[in-house]
Amino acid sequence: MTSNKHHTFSAPIELIGINPFVFVPESILQALFVASKKDKGAIPIKGTINGKDFRQTLVKYKGEWRLYINTLMLKNSPKRIGEIIEIAVAFDPEDRTLPPPPKFVEALKQHTKAKETFEQLPPHLQKEIIRYLPSLKRESSLIDNIAKAIGFLEGKNRFVGRE
């Protein structure tokens, strides 16, 4: 981990919907805002939970900043509601940008309308497409889904649950 200052705190795991999370103390939030140079949108962080390293994104939901605790960060986290955990957090300046699959880039070059639409999508939707495609295990699935993505961007079909 880099020399970013880690801020430590203890907090009980709470639940919103089906999602376990902890509230981050206000003083630590302020330090993260300063380190990240922003206080809106997702803030990439890193740290430890009960001594185990994690990378996550701090997000504001329903007016409150929350650190969601998934099962990769803490085993059986949905079953541990109320448990007090030890947390250390710091801003993570490391670039988390994922490059689009080369075959998707080539397909966009061949389909001007799809490329224009993709470039006009909000960043979170671009990221959703870029993250989905490399997750496919078979080459044939990747090719099929690139075709679906191009069709979606040209207004011909649905893709990743979107019209």
Side-chain angles (χ1 to χ4, degrees), residues 130-141:
I130 290 171
R131 289 178 89 182
Y132 175 72
L133 292 172
S135 71
L136 300 166
K137 292 181 175 51
R138 291 192 319 250
E139 185 73 12
S140 60
S141 296

Side-chain angles (χ1 to χ4, degrees), residues 74-93:
L74 185 66
K75 189 176 178 177
N76 295 322
S77 58
K79 296 178 181 174
R80 297 171 79 164
I81 306 310
E83 180 179 328
I84 296 176
I85 56 176
E86 299 297 320
I87 305 163
V89 295
F91 169 63
D92 185 3

Side-chain angles (χ1 to χ4, degrees), residues 15-163:
L15 193 67
I16 186 164
I18 60 167
N19 301 304
F21 74 95
V22 296
F23 287 114
V24 177
E26 187 63 32
S27 61
I28 295 174
L29 283 174
Q30 293 305 318
L32 292 171
F33 296 158
V34 169
S36 66
K37 298 183 175 110
K38 66 180 192 170
D39 62 1
K40 291 182 172 69
I43 298 176
I45 61 171
K46 61 184 175 182
T48 62
I49 292 181
N50 294 344
K52 183 181 178 223
D53 289 343
F54 73 86
R55 288 181 69 197
Q56 181 64 293
T57 305
L58 188 63
V59 294
K60 192 171 189 178
Y61 178 69
K62 292 194 173 185
E64 300 280 351
W65 285 93
R66 302 167 198 269
L67 172 57
Y68 287 92
I69 311 294
N70 61 42
T71 55
L72 295 175
M73 295 164 66
L74 185 66
K75 189 176 178 177
N76 295 322
S77 58
K79 296 178 181 174
R80 297 171 79 164
I81 306 310
E83 180 179 328
I84 296 176
I85 56 176
E86 299 297 320
I87 305 163
V89 295
F91 169 63
D92 185 3
E94 194 172 308
D95 183 19
R96 296 184 183 182
T97 307
L98 295 174
K103 289 183 179 180
F104 182 60
V105 173
E106 282 302 312
L108 288 174
K109 286 179 185 174
Q110 295 171 11
H111 296 87
T112 312
K113 181 180 178 190
K115 182 178 183 194
E116 289 172 2
T117 302
F118 181 77
E119 290 171 350
Q120 292 174 0
L121 289 175
H124 73 278
L125 291 178
Q126 290 179 9
K127 185 177 176 182
E128 185 176 342
I129 292 170
I130 290 171
R131 289 178 89 182
Y132 175 72
L133 292 172
S135 71
L136 300 166
K137 292 181 175 51
R138 291 192 319 250
E139 185 73 12
S140 60
S141 296
L142 175 63
I143 291 166
D144 290 347
N145 278 273
I146 287 173
K148 289 177 187 174
I150 295 298
F152 164 74
L153 293 167
E154 292 178 337
K156 297 176 183 172
N157 55 275
R158 292 172 47 96
F159 183 67
V160 290
R162 299 192 182 273
E163 293 290 333

